[in-house]
Amino acid sequence: MDYYDLIIVGAGPAGSTLAHALRGSGKKILMIDKQSFPRDKTCAGWVTPAVMNSLEIDLADYEKNRTLQPIRRFRIGMMGQPAVENNHDKVVSYGIRRCEFDDYLLRRVNAPKALATPVKSIDRENGNWIINHTWQAPLIVGAGGHFCPVARLLGDGPGGHETVVSAKEVEFEMTPEQSEVCAARGDMPELWFCRDLKGYAWVFRKGNFLNIGLGREDNHKLSGHLEQFVEEMKASGRIPPDLPGRFKGHAYLLYNHAERPLVDEGVMLIGDSAGLAYTQSGEGIRPAIESALIAAQVIREAGDNSAQALQTYGEAIAERFGTRATEADQGWQVPEWVKSPLASTLMRSHWFTRRVVTEKWFLHQQVPPLALAV
């Protein structure tokens, strides 16, 4: 049986960032993921300059043979009413393809990797965690998304008691004919909020690739809302009339809705495994990256792998992202004060859609980047 100081379950942005941030720490690390890379990961996929700064990514190097779509504008509206276009006069975000972005981050990691390897068992023996009866370590970190098997070690893990956001989306490369009739602009993602404000849809063009999707809290109505949105976008010429393939579904927890503990004896959860997606936007990339950087710092400084020693991670997460709301305070996507007769008026306001929706909820420009722990 092979021994490691740390096993990371999940090789997406959170897991890769943690392993990369621990370079030079002397830790013997193993990364496990059920998929091979590059993997097919459908995602709206935009990252802010803060994320690129935290990851110390050279933009000129990254965009070699990869999609990097500068974003300077946003088109925001409520379904059924005209949209508002805001020009930020500078690059405020970048469109990326997750299949490329995740692979890029993983390739920076020099640690051993067991890819295309599902986690079938996690056992506890003599203070170590044993995975698949093959690898053991005193510390494991769950970075495998909403259904991460490590999350099941802390309480009952993913289950019906959690308020889960469900989304469906599709991403494809447009033909020249599709590109010509598609009115959506690459530098201007479109966000369309559902009338009941229980979710939103998006149209995001990244170079010659187009991503369309919709996420809602009540997934039993998801398909109907998505179908109606797609037909409206087709009728208005925002997207091509012929969409290839089927929409893929996925789920995630919003920060204020998650009830999962973040640490236990020899266990930590980061990224979507911990339920850290921003409540107002559902974005999970920046919280995944920053939780990994925080975890790396705690692992470097912790004297042991006890729950007490690792609890500083939970405290740092609360300081960075705020204390999780009580159940009575949990509102999906937008605060309760927005869910009022004024909502449609606010969504027609240039000031509100720019200063609140875009800059605060989606770009988090008020929050400075988090630096890599080295």
Side-chain angles (χ1 to χ4, degrees), residues 13-60:
S16 293
T17 299
L18 175 59
H20 185 64
L22 286 172
R23 66 194 186 281
S25 66
K27 301 286 186 182
K28 185 179 180 183
I29 301 171
L30 172 68
M31 300 189 70
I32 302 176
D33 198 286
K34 64 181 180 181
Q35 296 185 355
S36 58
F37 284 66
R39 61 177 180 176
D40 181 15
K41 181 70 173 179
T42 303
C43 178
W46 63 62
V47 293
T48 60
V51 169
M52 293 304 209
N53 288 338
S54 293
L55 292 172
E56 297 179 345
I57 290 179
D58 183 333
L59 298 180

Side-chain angles (χ1 to χ4, degrees), residues 46 69-76 83-88 92-93 95 183-192 202-207 210 238:
W46 63 62
Q69 172 66 63
I71 298 171
R72 299 178 177 85
R73 309 164 183 257
F74 278 86
R75 192 169 189 262
I76 298 173
V84 171
E85 296 183 6
N86 291 318
N87 188 347
H88 294 264
V92 293
S93 196
R185 292 178 46 160
D187 68 340
M188 186 169 61
E190 303 191 14
L191 306 175
W192 295 90
W202 61 87
V203 176
F204 191 6
R205 185 171 183 169
K206 297 174 275 190
L210 188 65
R238 304 309 304 174

Side-chain angles (χ1 to χ4, degrees), residues 260-277:
R260 301 177 181 183
L262 300 181
V263 300
D264 204 337
E265 293 292 322
V267 184
M268 304 174 75
L269 299 181
I270 60 178
D272 281 347
S273 178
L276 299 181

Side-chain angles (χ1 to χ4, degrees), residues 100-346:
E100 299 171 347
F101 184 74
D102 294 11
D103 186 59
Y104 176 88
L105 296 182
L106 184 58
R107 286 179 179 274
R108 301 198 306 179
V109 176
N110 293 323
K113 308 173 184 73
L115 304 179
T117 305
V119 171
K120 298 180 179 180
S121 65
I122 304 178
D123 302 301
R124 184 76 163 164
E125 184 177 310
N126 298 324
N128 286 331
W129 294 102
I130 301 175
I131 297 182
N132 291 358
H133 308 290
T134 304
W135 306 286
Q136 65 174 325
L139 176 63
I140 58 173
V141 175
H146 175 63
F147 296 105
C148 180
V150 179
R152 288 194 288 270
L153 298 176
L154 306 186
D156 54 355
H161 67 286
E162 296 178 320
T163 304
V164 178
V165 173
S166 297
K168 285 187 175 183
E169 56 189 304
V170 66
E171 182 169 296
F172 63 96
E173 185 172 13
M174 293 185 288
T175 65
E177 293 77 17
Q178 289 172 326
S179 181
E180 185 176 351
V181 300
C182 180
R185 292 178 46 160
D187 68 340
M188 186 169 61
E190 303 191 14
L191 306 175
W192 295 90
F193 286 83
C194 298
R195 295 173 190 175
D196 60 4
L197 293 178
K198 288 188 176 182
Y200 70 91
W202 61 87
V203 176
F204 191 6
R205 185 171 183 169
K206 297 174 275 190
N208 214 32
F209 290 88
L210 188 65
N211 186 288
I212 305 163
L214 188 149
R216 281 183 63 85
E217 177 182 349
D218 50 347
N219 62 357
H220 63 286
K221 297 181 180 180
L222 178 61
S223 295
H225 282 278
L226 176 61
E227 183 179 348
Q228 181 179 354
F229 171 71
V230 169
E231 291 306 314
E232 290 176 355
M233 291 296 101
K234 288 180 179 180
S236 63
R238 304 309 304 174
I239 64 177
D242 52 331
L243 301 182
R246 54 184 296 190
F247 284 71
K248 297 180 179 180
H250 57 90
Y252 53 90
L253 280 171
L254 301 177
Y255 183 68
N256 276 359
H257 290 181
E259 301 175 3
R260 301 177 181 183
L262 300 181
V263 300
D264 204 337
E265 293 292 322
V267 184
M268 304 174 75
L269 299 181
I270 60 178
D272 281 347
S273 178
L276 299 181
Y278 285 127
T279 302
Q280 280 75 42
S281 66
E283 182 211 342
I285 296 180
R286 183 171 180 179
I289 298 302
E290 294 189 346
S291 65
L293 296 178
I294 293 171
Q297 192 66 38
V298 170
I299 291 171
R300 283 176 176 270
E301 297 176 354
D304 54 55
N305 299 309
S306 66
Q308 183 177 1
L310 300 177
Q311 186 53 43
T312 54
Y313 167 70
E315 295 167 358
I317 290 293
E319 182 178 354
R320 182 67 177 179
F321 299 103
T323 303
R324 294 194 199 269
T326 62
E327 185 174 354
D329 295 331
Q330 291 177 0
W332 197 88
Q333 294 286 355
V334 294
E336 289 297 330
W337 63 269
V338 177
K339 296 182 178 181
S340 70
L342 292 176
S344 62
T345 301
L346 290 172

